[in-house]
Amino acid sequence: MLKGTKILLGISGGIAAYKSVFLIRLLIKAGAEVKVVVTKNALQFVTKVTLETISKNKVYDDLFGIYNDYSTEHISLTDWADLFIVAPATANIIGKFANGIADDTLSTSLLAFNKSIYIIPAMNSKMYDNFSVKKNISYLKENNILFINPVVGDLACGYVGDGKMEEPENIISYIEKNLKSKLLFKGKRVLITAGPTYEAIDAVRFIGNHSSGLMGFALAEAFAKYGAEVNLVTGPVSLTIDNALVKRYNVVSAREMYDKCIELSSNSDIIVMSAAVADYTVINPSETKFKKSEKSLTLKLEPTQDILFELGSKKKKGQLLVGFALETNDEIKNAVKKLNNKNLDFIVLNSLNDKNAGFKYSTNKISIINKEGITKFELKNKQEVAFDIINFIKEHYL
Ligand code: CTP
């Protein structure tokens, strides 16, 4: 898996730096090419000669050193590498990275790197447990930086605790597993709908619903993480997505969502419709703002087109079609009806009766129903739910 991979290995100043020598050895044995960037403190624990001998490459430790090839070496190095591993990562380098500080070669290179970064912390367990370190780690995780957590063991400071750097063999198998998962949906085109639709009443008012779009956006991120090319058609939401594999199309009404989905569907291998599409739209909405009057106001509505039904009737061989159902009563019966009527491969059911699940919440409790039966899941955050759905596809349909 690592054959031919160009790896930048950052080493910061912790006793676990000696293990990084083994890590370099194993990476090279696995077929990778390794270049090393160290902090000044790392060189207190392991020598430059050792690292250069093992990596068979020059070691980078000085942003402005007289022996540098040129002063923008951190850029050429980061352009060169496919992935960046920092092992061991001290509280200091994690703190610098999380706060955008670039005051040496390693911290500068981290900020200049825009591909996969794996951080492998090693520190005293009390430091690892410190609120500030925790905050930095969770901020980096939120920004898609991967962590291989420390393990419990004897620490150099005499403590036994959670702070020991993971063993090089395990680091490699984690990275290999992660790289493999990235290929799961490579070459697959996925169409996802998200959020509500707004049906205009007049120039300023609309009929909408409480859908946040979180579930659809989490699905788009998750599919992209596994290498898929995603088209995300979303109604009005306040969410952002920053992923080169996700193409976002903003729509407002059910009609606009229908048009975009029909356009993109024939080219899609997997279609997941998580949007809460309006079932009715206003006939002839006013182009100007309605004026208040004493009289009651009657709006005339007509049904919208059911996008999912339409896609089900046009479903191509090999295309996977997934719907969502949000129900308040007779949940399973209603969901099964939608599964059959709309010609779906499976339907994701969430019930409004489950606490903290569905619209407006960041968590969801789903059941997946297909022809074979029902699979129930616990209440989880929507990112985890997205991965459950992807795993279900992997296990049943790939
Ligand atoms: N859906 C759609 N187009 C519509 C309405 C719904 O594509 N005009 C899709 C939703 O995105 C969802 C599935 O159909 O994946 C089920 O939506 P839901 O609102 O639960 O069901 P409806 O078919 O609209 O039926 P009802 O509202 O009566 O429960």
Side-chain angles (χ1 to χ4, degrees):
M1 197 85 233
L2 286 168
K3 198 164 188 294
T5 310
K6 297 188 182 90
I7 296 177
L8 203 52
L9 175 68
I11 306 178
S12 56
I15 180 64
Y18 80 91
K19 283 197 204 169
S20 305
V21 179
F22 295 100
L23 181 60
I24 299 169
R25 256 231 147 97
L26 291 177
L27 288 169
I28 290 175
K29 211 169 143 199
E33 191 183 343
V34 182
K35 289 188 180 178
V36 179
V37 188
V38 289
T39 63
K40 288 253 175 316
N41 286 340
L43 295 177
Q44 302 284 335
F45 296 95
V46 60
T47 74
K48 216 168 160 179
V49 177
T50 311
L51 296 169
E52 287 184 342
T53 310
I54 301 291
S55 71
K56 299 189 181 68
N57 269 316
K58 175 184 158 183
V59 167
Y60 300 82
D61 66 331
D62 192 350
L63 210 46
F64 301 108
I66 50 169
Y67 300 114
N68 277 4
D69 300 335
Y70 48 96
S71 60
T72 55
E73 212 152 37
H74 56 286
I75 303 296
S76 63
L77 261 182
T78 49
D79 283 348
W80 168 83
D82 302 311
L83 57 96
F84 202 153
I85 306 171
V86 185
T90 56
N92 187 41
I93 193 70
I94 292 170
K96 281 187 194 176
F97 187 26
N99 291 285
I101 295 169
D103 62 357
D104 63 6
T105 318
L106 179 53
S107 52
T108 308
S109 301
L110 276 169
L111 294 194
F113 197 75
N114 60 3
K115 291 160 262 182
S116 298
I117 300 179
Y118 296 81
I119 302 280
I120 300 143
M123 64 193 78
N124 166 274
S125 50
K126 283 188 190 161
M127 289 172 76
Y128 187 61
D129 213 28
N130 178 276
F131 64 92
S132 170
V133 174
K134 276 188 173 160
K135 186 187 100 200
N136 289 334
I137 291 178
S138 67
Y139 179 65
L140 291 172
K141 282 184 178 168
E142 274 165 34
N143 283 284
N144 295 323
I145 303 301
L146 300 154
F147 275 76
I148 303 181
N149 295 335
V151 290
V152 176
D154 292 327
L155 303 176
C157 45
Y159 284 94
V160 175
D162 189 4
K164 194 169 158 321
M165 187 170 104
E166 182 54 280
E167 294 304 326
E169 293 81 358
N170 298 341
I171 294 174
I172 295 207
S173 57
Y174 176 91
I175 293 172
E176 283 185 329
K177 214 169 128 204
N178 198 268
L179 290 176
K180 211 165 146 199
S181 71
K182 277 201 178 146
L183 302 175
L184 192 64
F185 288 105
K186 200 173 160 60
K188 296 259 185 246
R189 278 158 307 197
V190 181
L191 169 62
I192 297 172
T193 61
T197 59
Y198 287 178
E199 307 306 314
I201 295 173
D202 66 8
V204 294
R205 303 175 180 96
F206 59 84
I207 300 173
N209 62 65
H210 292 298
S211 170
S212 63
L214 279 172
M215 194 61 246
F217 275 64
L219 279 162
E221 279 281 7
F223 272 109
K225 199 165 179 183
Y226 285 119
E229 286 169 44
V230 180
N231 285 319
L232 174 65
V233 180
T234 176
V237 292
S238 56
L239 301 171
T240 55
I241 194 155
D242 182 19
N243 190 313
L245 285 171
V246 181
K247 208 162 171 193
R248 172 178 182 162
Y249 298 90
N250 291 323
V251 295
V252 177
S253 64
R255 177 75 221 189
E256 285 173 23
M257 188 171 274
Y258 175 89
D259 289 342
K260 202 46 154 184
C261 289
I262 297 298
E263 179 195 323
L264 297 168
S265 62
S266 60
N267 222 356
S268 307
D269 303 297
I270 301 172
I271 302 176
V272 186
M273 307 290 276
S274 69
V277 189
D279 288 331
Y280 292 92
T281 191
V282 180
I283 299 174
N284 294 327
S286 166
E287 287 185 7
T288 52
K289 189 184 163 201
F290 279 145
K291 283 298 178 196
K292 202 166 37 190
S293 84
E294 296 301 308
K295 286 191 270 170
S296 65
L297 174 70
T298 305
L299 290 174
K300 267 202 142 177
L301 306 178
E302 64 181 346
T304 57
Q305 279 149 304
D306 189 319
I307 309 167
L308 190 54
F309 179 84
E310 192 68 23
L311 296 181
S313 62
K314 289 183 168 40
K315 191 159 78 172
K316 291 193 308 176
K317 203 167 172 271
Q319 197 172 52
L320 186 81
L321 190 59
V322 180
F324 269 70
L326 181 69
E327 305 292 343
T328 52
N329 55 295
D330 292 329
E331 289 97 335
I332 294 173
K333 198 173 130 213
N334 284 329
V336 170
K337 211 162 135 194
K338 287 175 192 171
L339 173 79
N340 294 327
N341 287 350
K342 302 194 188 195
N343 192 22
L344 309 179
D345 293 280
F346 68 84
I347 191 154
V348 180
L349 165 67
N350 36 105
S351 163
L352 270 187
N353 298 324
D354 286 322
K355 226 174 138 225
N356 295 334
F359 273 18
K360 292 197 281 191
Y361 295 103
S362 60
T363 48
N364 209 356
K365 186 163 183 241
I366 61 159
S367 299
I368 294 184
I369 306 177
N370 65 4
K371 297 253 156 32
E372 274 78 57
I374 304 183
T375 313
K376 291 190 172 171
F377 296 84
E378 294 302 308
L379 183 77
K380 296 179 181 183
N381 72 44
K382 288 185 175 168
Q383 277 75 19
E384 291 170 311
V385 172
F387 283 106
D388 284 340
I389 294 170
I390 282 182
N391 263 332
F392 191 83
I393 295 176
K394 186 177 118 191
E395 280 162 23
H396 294 81
Y397 301 97
L398 285 192

Coordinates of all heavy atoms in Angstrom, one line a residue, residues 142-208:
E142 N -11.3 18.4 13.9 CA -12.4 19.0 13.2 C -12.0 19.4 11.8 O -12.8 19.5 10.9 CB -12.9 20.2 13.9 CG -13.9 20.0 15.0 CD -14.0 21.3 15.9 OE1 -13.9 22.4 15.3 OE2 -14.2 21.1 17.1
N143 N -10.7 19.7 11.7 CA -10.2 20.1 10.3 C -9.6 19.0 9.6 O -8.6 19.2 8.8 CB -9.3 21.3 10.5 CG -10.1 22.6 10.8 OD1 -10.7 23.1 9.9 ND2 -10.2 22.9 12.0
N144 N -10.0 17.8 9.9 CA -9.6 16.6 9.1 C -8.2 16.2 9.3 O -7.6 15.5 8.4 CB -9.9 16.8 7.6 CG -11.4 16.9 7.3 OD1 -12.2 16.2 8.0 ND2 -11.8 17.7 6.4
I145 N -7.5 16.6 10.3 CA -6.2 16.1 10.6 C -6.4 14.8 11.4 O -7.2 14.7 12.3 CB -5.4 17.1 11.5 CG1 -5.3 18.5 10.8 CG2 -4.0 16.6 11.9 CD1 -4.7 18.5 9.5
L146 N -5.6 13.8 10.9 CA -5.8 12.4 11.5 C -4.9 12.2 12.7 O -3.7 12.7 12.7 CB -5.5 11.4 10.4 CG -6.4 11.5 9.2 CD1 -5.7 11.0 8.0 CD2 -7.7 10.8 9.5
F147 N -5.4 11.6 13.7 CA -4.6 11.4 14.9 C -4.5 9.9 15.2 O -5.5 9.1 15.0 CB -5.3 12.0 16.1 CG -4.9 13.5 16.3 CD1 -5.4 14.4 15.5 CD2 -3.9 13.9 17.2 CE1 -5.1 15.8 15.6 CE2 -3.6 15.2 17.4 CZ -4.1 16.1 16.5
I148 N -3.3 9.4 15.5 CA -3.2 8.1 16.1 C -2.9 8.2 17.5 O -1.9 8.7 18.0 CB -2.1 7.3 15.4 CG1 -2.3 7.3 13.8 CG2 -2.0 5.9 15.9 CD1 -1.3 6.5 13.0
N149 N -3.9 7.9 18.3 CA -3.9 8.2 19.8 C -2.8 7.5 20.5 O -2.5 6.4 20.2 CB -5.2 7.9 20.4 CG -6.4 8.8 19.9 OD1 -6.1 9.9 19.4 ND2 -7.6 8.2 19.9
P150 N -2.2 8.2 21.5 CA -1.2 7.5 22.3 C -1.8 6.3 23.1 O -3.1 6.3 23.3 CB -0.7 8.5 23.3 CG -1.6 9.7 23.2 CD -2.5 9.5 22.0
V151 N -1.0 5.4 23.6 CA -1.5 4.2 24.3 C -1.1 4.4 25.8 O -0.2 5.2 26.1 CB -1.0 2.9 23.7 CG1 -1.6 2.7 22.3 CG2 0.5 2.9 23.5
V152 N -1.7 3.5 26.6 CA -1.3 3.5 28.0 C 0.0 2.7 28.2 O 0.1 1.6 27.6 CB -2.5 2.9 28.8 CG1 -2.1 2.8 30.3 CG2 -3.7 3.7 28.7
G153 N 0.9 3.2 29.0 CA 2.1 2.5 29.2 C 3.0 3.2 30.1 O 2.7 4.3 30.7
D154 N 4.3 2.7 30.3 CA 5.3 3.4 31.2 C 5.8 4.6 30.4 O 6.2 4.5 29.3 CB 6.5 2.5 31.4 CG 6.1 1.3 32.3 OD1 5.2 1.5 33.2 OD2 6.6 0.2 32.1
L155 N 5.7 5.8 31.1 CA 6.1 7.0 30.4 C 7.5 7.4 30.9 O 7.9 7.0 32.1 CB 5.1 8.1 30.7 CG 3.7 7.9 30.2 CD1 2.8 9.0 30.6 CD2 3.6 7.6 28.7
A156 N 8.3 8.1 30.1 CA 9.7 8.4 30.5 C 9.7 9.2 31.8 O 10.7 9.0 32.6 CB 10.3 9.3 29.4
C157 N 8.7 9.9 32.2 CA 8.7 10.7 33.4 C 8.4 9.9 34.6 O 8.3 10.4 35.8 CB 7.6 11.8 33.3 SG 6.1 11.2 32.6
G158 N 8.3 8.6 34.5 CA 8.0 7.7 35.6 C 6.6 7.4 35.8 O 6.2 6.4 36.6
Y159 N 5.7 8.1 35.2 CA 4.3 7.8 35.3 C 3.9 6.6 34.4 O 4.6 6.3 33.5 CB 3.4 9.0 34.8 CG 3.4 10.2 35.7 CD1 4.3 11.2 35.6 CD2 2.4 10.2 36.7 CE1 4.2 12.3 36.5 CE2 2.3 11.3 37.6 CZ 3.2 12.3 37.5 OH 3.2 13.4 38.3
V160 N 2.8 6.0 34.8 CA 2.2 5.0 33.9 C 0.9 5.7 33.5 O 0.1 6.1 34.3 CB 1.8 3.7 34.6 CG1 1.1 2.8 33.7 CG2 3.1 3.0 35.1
G161 N 0.7 5.9 32.2 CA -0.5 6.6 31.8 C -0.7 6.6 30.3 O 0.1 6.0 29.5
D162 N -1.7 7.4 29.9 CA -2.1 7.6 28.5 C -1.2 8.6 27.9 O -1.4 9.8 28.2 CB -3.6 8.0 28.6 CG -4.2 8.0 27.3 OD1 -3.6 7.6 26.3 OD2 -5.4 8.4 27.2
G163 N -0.2 8.3 27.1 CA 0.7 9.3 26.6 C 1.8 8.7 25.8 O 2.6 9.4 25.2
K164 N 1.9 7.4 25.8 CA 3.0 6.7 25.1 C 2.7 6.6 23.6 O 1.6 6.3 23.2 CB 2.9 5.3 25.7 CG 4.2 4.5 25.4 CD 4.1 3.2 26.3 CE 4.8 2.1 25.9 NZ 5.4 1.3 25.3
M165 N 3.7 7.0 22.9 CA 3.5 6.9 21.4 C 3.2 5.5 20.9 O 3.8 4.6 21.4 CB 4.7 7.4 20.7 CG 4.5 7.6 19.2 SD 5.9 8.5 18.4 CE 6.7 7.1 17.6
E166 N 2.2 5.4 20.0 CA 1.9 4.1 19.4 C 3.1 3.5 18.8 O 4.0 4.2 18.3 CB 0.7 4.4 18.4 CG 0.2 3.2 17.7 CD -0.3 2.1 18.7 OE1 0.5 1.3 19.2 OE2 -1.5 2.0 18.9
E167 N 3.2 2.2 18.8 CA 4.3 1.5 18.2 C 4.4 1.6 16.7 O 3.3 1.7 16.0 CB 4.2 0.0 18.5 CG 4.4 -0.4 20.0 CD 5.6 0.2 20.6 OE1 6.7 0.2 20.0 OE2 5.6 0.6 21.8
P168 N 5.6 1.7 16.1 CA 5.7 2.0 14.7 C 4.9 1.0 13.8 O 4.3 1.4 12.8 CB 7.2 1.8 14.4 CG 7.9 2.2 15.7 CD 6.9 1.8 16.8
E169 N 4.9 -0.3 14.2 CA 4.2 -1.3 13.4 C 2.7 -0.9 13.3 O 2.1 -1.0 12.2 CB 4.2 -2.7 14.0 CG 5.6 -3.4 14.0 CD 6.5 -2.9 15.2 OE1 6.0 -2.0 16.0 OE2 7.6 -3.4 15.3
N170 N 2.2 -0.5 14.5 CA 0.7 -0.1 14.5 C 0.4 1.1 13.7 O -0.6 1.3 13.1 CB 0.2 0.0 15.9 CG 0.4 -1.3 16.7 OD1 0.5 -2.4 16.0 ND2 0.4 -1.3 18.0
I171 N 1.4 2.1 13.8 CA 1.3 3.3 13.0 C 1.1 3.0 11.6 O 0.2 3.5 10.9 CB 2.5 4.3 13.3 CG1 2.5 4.7 14.7 CG2 2.4 5.5 12.3 CD1 3.7 5.5 15.1
I172 N 2.0 2.1 11.1 CA 2.0 1.8 9.7 C 0.7 1.0 9.3 O 0.1 1.4 8.3 CB 3.2 0.9 9.3 CG1 4.5 1.8 9.5 CG2 3.1 0.3 7.9 CD1 5.7 1.5 8.7
S173 N 0.3 0.1 10.1 CA -1.0 -0.6 9.7 C -2.2 0.3 9.7 O -3.1 0.2 8.9 CB -1.2 -1.9 10.5 OG -1.3 -1.6 11.8
Y174 N -2.2 1.3 10.7 CA -3.3 2.3 10.7 C -3.3 3.1 9.4 O -4.3 3.3 8.8 CB -3.1 3.2 11.9 CG -4.2 4.3 12.0 CD1 -5.4 4.1 12.7 CD2 -4.0 5.5 11.3 CE1 -6.3 5.1 12.7 CE2 -4.9 6.5 11.3 CZ -6.1 6.3 12.0 OH -7.1 7.3 12.0
I175 N -2.1 3.6 9.0 CA -2.0 4.4 7.8 C -2.4 3.6 6.6 O -3.1 4.1 5.7 CB -0.6 5.0 7.7 CG1 -0.3 6.0 8.8 CG2 -0.4 5.7 6.3 CD1 1.1 6.6 8.9
E176 N -1.9 2.4 6.5 CA -2.3 1.5 5.4 C -3.8 1.3 5.3 O -4.4 1.4 4.2 CB -1.5 0.2 5.4 CG -0.1 0.4 5.1 CD 0.7 -0.9 5.0 OE1 0.4 -1.9 5.8 OE2 1.6 -1.0 4.2
K177 N -4.4 1.1 6.4 CA -5.8 0.8 6.5 C -6.6 2.1 6.0 O -7.5 2.0 5.2 CB -6.2 0.5 7.9 CG -7.4 -0.5 8.0 CD -7.6 -1.0 9.4 CE -9.0 -0.8 9.7 NZ -9.3 -0.7 11.2
N178 N -6.1 3.2 6.4 CA -6.7 4.5 6.1 C -6.5 4.8 4.6 O -7.5 5.2 3.9 CB -6.0 5.6 6.9 CG -6.8 6.8 6.9 OD1 -6.7 7.7 6.1 ND2 -7.8 6.9 7.8
L179 N -5.4 4.5 4.0 CA -5.2 4.7 2.6 C -6.1 3.8 1.8 O -6.6 4.2 0.7 CB -3.7 4.5 2.2 CG -2.7 5.5 2.8 CD1 -1.3 5.1 2.4 CD2 -3.0 6.9 2.2
K180 N -6.2 2.5 2.3 CA -7.0 1.6 1.6 C -8.5 2.1 1.5 O -9.2 2.0 0.5 CB -7.0 0.2 2.3 CG -7.1 -0.9 1.4 CD -6.7 -2.2 2.0 CE -7.5 -3.3 1.6 NZ -7.4 -4.5 2.5
S181 N -9.0 2.6 2.7 CA -10.4 3.0 2.8 C -10.6 4.2 1.8 O -11.7 4.3 1.3 CB -10.7 3.4 4.2 OG -10.1 4.6 4.5
K182 N -9.6 4.9 1.5 CA -9.7 6.1 0.6 C -10.0 5.6 -0.8 O -10.5 6.4 -1.6 CB -8.4 6.9 0.6 CG -8.4 7.8 1.7 CD -7.4 8.9 1.4 CE -7.3 9.9 2.5 NZ -6.1 10.4 2.7
L183 N -9.7 4.4 -1.1 CA -9.9 3.9 -2.4 C -11.3 3.2 -2.6 O -11.7 2.8 -3.7 CB -8.8 2.9 -2.8 CG -7.4 3.4 -2.7 CD1 -6.4 2.3 -2.9 CD2 -7.2 4.5 -3.7
L184 N -12.0 3.1 -1.5 CA -13.3 2.3 -1.5 C -14.2 2.8 -2.6 O -14.8 2.0 -3.3 CB -13.9 2.4 -0.1 CG -15.1 1.5 0.2 CD1 -14.6 0.1 0.2 CD2 -15.7 1.9 1.6
F185 N -14.4 4.1 -2.7 CA -15.4 4.6 -3.6 C -14.7 5.4 -4.8 O -15.3 6.3 -5.4 CB -16.4 5.5 -2.9 CG -17.4 4.8 -2.1 CD1 -17.3 4.7 -0.7 CD2 -18.4 4.1 -2.7 CE1 -18.2 4.0 0.0 CE2 -19.3 3.3 -2.0 CZ -19.2 3.3 -0.6
K186 N -13.4 5.2 -4.9 CA -12.6 5.9 -6.0 C -13.2 5.6 -7.3 O -13.5 4.4 -7.6 CB -11.2 5.5 -5.9 CG -10.3 6.5 -6.6 CD -8.8 6.2 -6.4 CE -7.9 6.8 -7.4 NZ -8.0 8.3 -7.5
G187 N -13.5 6.6 -8.1 CA -14.1 6.4 -9.5 C -15.6 6.3 -9.4 O -16.2 6.3 -10.5
K188 N -16.2 6.3 -8.2 CA -17.7 6.3 -8.1 C -18.2 7.7 -8.1 O -17.6 8.6 -7.4 CB -18.1 5.6 -6.9 CG -17.7 4.1 -6.8 CD -18.9 3.2 -7.2 CE -18.6 1.8 -7.1 NZ -18.5 1.0 -8.3
R189 N -19.3 7.9 -8.8 CA -19.9 9.3 -8.7 C -21.2 9.2 -7.9 O -22.1 8.3 -8.1 CB -20.3 9.8 -10.1 CG -19.0 10.4 -10.8 CD -19.2 10.4 -12.2 NE -19.5 9.1 -12.7 CZ -19.4 8.7 -14.0 NH1 -18.9 9.5 -14.9 NH2 -19.7 7.5 -14.4
V190 N -21.3 10.0 -6.9 CA -22.4 10.0 -5.9 C -23.2 11.3 -6.0 O -22.6 12.4 -6.0 CB -21.8 9.8 -4.5 CG1 -22.9 9.7 -3.5 CG2 -20.9 8.5 -4.4
L191 N -24.5 11.1 -6.0 CA -25.4 12.3 -6.0 C -26.1 12.3 -4.6 O -26.6 11.3 -4.2 CB -26.4 12.2 -7.1 CG -27.6 13.2 -7.1 CD1 -27.1 14.6 -7.2 CD2 -28.5 12.9 -8.3
I192 N -25.9 13.5 -3.9 CA -26.6 13.6 -2.6 C -27.4 14.8 -2.6 O -27.0 15.9 -3.1 CB -25.5 13.6 -1.5 CG1 -24.7 12.4 -1.5 CG2 -26.1 13.9 -0.1 CD1 -23.5 12.4 -0.6
T193 N -28.7 14.7 -2.0 CA -29.4 15.9 -1.8 C -29.5 16.2 -0.3 O -29.4 15.3 0.5 CB -30.9 15.8 -2.3 OG1 -31.5 14.7 -1.6 CG2 -30.9 15.5 -3.8
A194 N -29.5 17.5 0.0 CA -29.5 17.9 1.4 C -30.4 19.1 1.7 O -30.7 19.9 0.8 CB -28.1 18.2 1.8
G195 N -30.8 19.2 3.0 CA -31.5 20.5 3.4 C -32.9 20.5 3.0 O -33.5 19.5 2.5
P196 N -33.5 21.7 3.3 CA -35.0 21.9 3.0 C -35.1 22.4 1.5 O -34.1 22.7 0.9 CB -35.4 22.9 4.0 CG -34.1 23.8 4.1 CD -32.9 22.9 3.9
T197 N -36.3 22.6 1.1 CA -36.6 23.4 -0.1 C -37.5 24.5 0.4 O -38.2 24.4 1.4 CB -37.2 22.7 -1.3 OG1 -38.4 22.1 -0.8 CG2 -36.3 21.6 -1.8
Y198 N -37.4 25.7 -0.3 CA -38.3 26.8 0.0 C -39.2 27.0 -1.1 O -38.8 27.2 -2.3 CB -37.5 28.1 0.2 CG -36.7 28.2 1.5 CD1 -35.9 29.3 1.7 CD2 -36.7 27.2 2.5 CE1 -35.1 29.4 2.9 CE2 -36.0 27.3 3.7 CZ -35.2 28.4 3.9 OH -34.4 28.5 5.0
E199 N -40.5 27.1 -0.9 CA -41.5 27.3 -1.9 C -42.0 28.7 -1.7 O -42.6 29.1 -0.7 CB -42.6 26.3 -1.8 CG -42.2 24.9 -1.9 CD -41.2 24.5 -3.0 OE1 -41.6 24.9 -4.2 OE2 -40.2 23.9 -2.8
A200 N -41.8 29.6 -2.7 CA -42.2 31.0 -2.6 C -43.7 31.2 -2.4 O -44.5 30.6 -3.1 CB -41.7 31.8 -3.8
I201 N -44.0 32.1 -1.5 CA -45.4 32.5 -1.4 C -45.6 33.9 -2.1 O -46.5 34.1 -2.9 CB -45.8 32.7 0.1 CG1 -45.7 31.4 0.8 CG2 -47.2 33.4 0.3 CD1 -45.9 31.4 2.4
D202 N -44.6 34.8 -1.8 CA -44.6 36.0 -2.5 C -43.1 36.4 -2.6 O -42.3 35.6 -2.5 CB -45.5 37.1 -1.8 CG -45.0 37.5 -0.5 OD1 -43.8 37.1 -0.1 OD2 -45.7 38.2 0.3
A203 N -42.8 37.7 -2.8 CA -41.5 38.1 -3.1 C -40.6 37.9 -1.8 O -39.4 37.8 -2.0 CB -41.4 39.6 -3.5
V204 N -41.1 37.9 -0.7 CA -40.3 37.8 0.5 C -40.6 36.6 1.4 O -39.9 36.3 2.4 CB -40.4 39.1 1.4 CG1 -39.8 40.2 0.7 CG2 -41.9 39.3 1.8
R205 N -41.7 35.9 1.2 CA -42.1 34.8 2.1 C -42.0 33.4 1.4 O -42.1 33.4 0.2 CB -43.5 35.0 2.6 CG -43.6 36.4 3.3 CD -45.1 36.6 3.7 NE -45.2 37.8 4.4 CZ -45.6 39.0 3.8 NH1 -45.9 39.0 2.5 NH2 -45.8 40.1 4.5
F206 N -41.9 32.4 2.2 CA -41.8 31.1 1.6 C -42.4 30.0 2.6 O -42.6 30.3 3.8 CB -40.4 30.7 1.2 CG -39.5 30.7 2.4 CD1 -39.3 29.6 3.3 CD2 -38.7 31.8 2.7 CE1 -38.5 29.6 4.3 CE2 -37.8 31.8 3.8 CZ -37.7 30.7 4.6
I207 N -42.7 28.8 2.0 CA -43.0 27.7 2.9 C -41.7 26.8 2.9 O -41.2 26.5 1.9 CB -44.2 26.8 2.3 CG1 -45.4 27.7 2.2 CG2 -44.4 25.6 3.2 CD1 -46.6 27.0 1.4
G208 N -41.3 26.6 4.1 CA -40.0 25.8 4.3 C -40.2 24.7 5.3 O -41.3 24.4 5.8

